[in-house]
Amino acid sequence: MRISQPFGSRATMSETALPQATPTQVALTHGADFHEEPKTLVEGAYQRLRRDIIEGVHAPGEKLRVEHLKERYDVGAGTLREALLLLVTDALVVAQGQRGFRVAPISIADFEDITRTRVLLETEALRQSIACGGEDWEAGVVAAFHRLSRAEQRLADHDVGTTQEWEIRNRAFHEALIAASGSRWIRHFQHILYQQSERYRRISLFRQPIARDIHAEHQALFEATMARDATRATSILTEHILRTLDAVKRMPADFFTNRSMR
Amino acid sequence: MRISQPFGSRATMSETALPQATPTQVALTHGADFHEEPKTLVEGAYQRLRRDIIEGVHAPGEKLRVEHLKERYDVGAGTLREALLLLVTDALVVAQGQRGFRVAPISIADFEDITRTRVLLETEALRQSIACGGEDWEAGVVAAFHRLSRAEQRLADHDVGTTQEWEIRNRAFHEALIAASGSRWIRHFQHILYQQSERYRRISLFRQPIARDIHAEHQALFEATMARDATRATSILTEHILRTLDAVKRMPADFFTNRSMR
DNA sequence: GATCATTAAAATCTCGAGAAAATATATTGA
DNA sequence: TCAATATATTTTCTCGAGATTTTAATGATC
């Protein structure tokens, strides 16, 4: 992609043009992303571990003992340690020197923080995308919205095994919206925060099915974006993201208990 | 610290109160921070490597060969790999599967991105701090400003070996300003971005001495903050950060050439 | 019964060596 | 001279075992 264009107009930012990105630009998110072919055992273990943490296989706060996990993931101790270290980058695992690793704990305050920071970054990125996005970006948004719509239709019809698919396409849609933002750093941080919120969403939706018309929200967001109405689009996006926060807030309090295990 | 308070008032954010942080809250930035005693060999190598990268000992884009570096840092290959992996978290090192590690490249576009994203996050955090900060926060700001002032005085008098000290206190001042922000995530991202910009600043200041009255800028920022004038404080902070961007922009173009080395 | 020191067990951290892959060099043919 | 292939070298990746530290268990003392 390697897009680099001027930022969207905000009162606080000086209006100087950004130069083109250098050819040596490198992806900020490290190699082993979702659904990318793992090139090494470390990346493979990293991907599987990440999925398991996000899906709640390893409970929040749980201790991750290398000697036990090397069986499950079928790699050596050193390799598993490296995978764990990679997960520290995503803040899904916390490492304490000489005391090993554990799954990052969850709390309602943390999710609130994640959500609001995500709003801050994602609306800014959307503003930039709407201001600078070209035809390629538009096409990407249209395609992602189409795929998401199909998944949501299928979800409404027969809801078996399609949530995984929906999750992937929902993420793709949100990333397509901000793909033209020009700020690799905002996209990078957004990526991390989205991943974090996905963890909360997965474990919460598991117990309490969604009761809102998400498709309508996406539709409105899509239309405002294509109409290049930055004010309306960011407003809808904000409400959209905050609504998930409200849903999670209504979860029983014991949902946020972390596994201590000494 | 573990402060968790409502966000500063922004039109786009709903005005709901944040609950208190849970006692299980964990630091987002991983253990081995600046000037913290390393508890393991990995952390020690990580700290030294990070310092060397920020100071430009290892040039941007340079390949980091484990077999060579293990001599310099006096640790085993596996240990050094782990340290390198930790640096990926800070985006100071990039890892490509089966092709080793290299120092993250630099470019004028990247620094522009870093700076503007930093403005976005740091002004928001400052707004929150001014809105929610208590006496502890005020005291911290006063103390940090005092220490910074002394360092800047010393820098103006006899400028030998005090830049290191100034760098540390400048960072401490900026972090003290946003310490009461309540958003661990914003502080976390700010931390990463500050580190990134420090790398640019170090290599640029090395060639071209500063020609601006930084102390006056800090003074104004300090006074506006203590007066709880969020609008003025964020405005000064924005100008303050952007001014460094302008300085770096005036560097010769060849300054941003990365070491390819195949 | 509770607190503290001592001992035993478990886990983490660290290293060096071998396997796999990538890069550099040499060779061959057009 | 250039391109393509084959070989040699370097580098990365992976594993298991030993050293160090943390954690749990046991026993002694108040």
Side-chain angles (χ1 to χ4, degrees), chain A residues 114-162:
Chain A
I114 289 167
T115 304
R116 293 178 187 280
T117 307
R118 210 187 123 197
V119 165
L120 179 68
L121 294 179
E122 211 159 323
T123 55
E124 173 65 26
L126 181 57
R127 220 172 280 125
Q128 291 174 15
S129 270
I130 288 175
C132 318
E135 285 192 351
D136 290 351
W137 167 70
E138 282 187 2
V141 172
V142 171
F145 178 68
H146 179 73
R147 273 195 280 270
L148 178 59
S149 299
R150 282 296 167 89
E152 283 171 344
Q153 203 170 355
R154 233 167 297 173
L155 206 66
D157 294 347
H158 41 81
D159 45 304
V160 56
T162 45

Side-chain angles (χ1 to χ4, degrees), chain A residues 66 68 81 98:
Chain A
V66 175
H68 297 188
R81 277 183 62 84
Q98 218 67 274

Side-chain angles (χ1 to χ4, degrees), chain A residues 190-227:
Chain A
Q190 190 274 340
H191 185 84
I192 293 176
L193 291 176
Y194 186 93
Q195 195 162 251
Q196 289 286 327
S197 62
E198 189 176 348
R199 185 160 74 119
Y200 283 87
R201 210 164 47 240
R202 288 254 182 147
I203 343 185
S204 69
L205 291 186
F206 182 72
R207 300 200 192 176
Q208 174 183 318
I210 38 173
R212 41 193 271 232
D213 190 355
I214 290 189
H215 181 63
E217 295 177 28
H218 283 147
Q219 179 90 42
L221 177 55
F222 171 70
E223 282 167 6
T225 302
M226 295 310 285

